[in-house]
Amino acid sequence: MRARAAVPLTAALLVGACSVLGRWFGGGPNPNEEPAPDPVLTLHVQNQNFYDATIYAIARSGERQRLGVVTGNNEGTFTFRWLHEEVRVLIQLLAGGSKVTEPILVSPGDSLELIIQPDLHLKIP
């Protein structure tokens, strides 16, 4: 698990180093331009259900990104890179089926809240 965490950190350090080198050699940012926000979303999940829930972000193209697990009757917060205009959230309940939310239009920096209802497992066909 530590090796996976080190890879994004290394990539971030490399990007930061390239940015510094660009400024040294005259390629700095334009002071008239406002910096673009990082393409990051935050999802707060309140799992009111007894079952553990694995959470995925899904793009319109069908591409999905696993965010993590929120155990039953607990909360979790996930911060993740998202390059798409909209997101749907897939909730997979352990031994209880799955449900996908309606699409939500998002912008970089948005914070979303998801509440998993206590009876969601009863509503899954």
Side-chain angles (χ1 to χ4, degrees):
M1 182 103 173
R2 286 186 180 164
R4 287 187 182 176
V7 172
L9 179 59
T10 303
L13 290 175
L14 288 174
V15 169
C18 290
S19 152
V20 169
L21 288 174
R23 284 190 217 125
W24 283 349
F25 294 106
N30 183 346
N32 296 327
E33 288 183 20
E34 195 171 305
D38 288 333
V40 173
L41 297 179
T42 302
L43 176 66
H44 304 283
V45 180
Q46 182 181 6
N47 186 358
Q48 297 177 353
N49 199 283
F50 175 78
Y51 293 107
D52 294 352
T54 303
I55 308 297
Y56 296 87
I58 303 177
R60 182 183 298 177
S61 65
E63 171 189 345
R64 71 183 195 174
Q65 180 178 344
R66 184 180 187 276
L67 303 180
V69 175
V70 180
T71 57
N73 297 312
N74 278 296
E75 297 180 10
T77 300
F78 306 101
T79 302
F80 58 101
R81 288 184 52 81
W82 194 252
L83 303 173
H84 307 281
E85 294 179 346
E86 69 179 36
V87 64
R88 291 182 300 148
V89 178
L90 168 64
I91 306 159
Q92 285 188 333
L93 296 176
L94 180 66
S98 62
K99 188 80 168 175
V100 178
T101 67
E102 293 294 321
I104 303 165
L105 292 176
V106 293
S107 297
D110 280 355
S111 182
L112 309 171
E113 178 139 358
L114 174 69
I115 298 173
I116 301 172
Q117 298 295 320
D119 60 348
L120 179 65
H121 62 286
L122 300 174
K123 296 177 181 179
I124 298 173

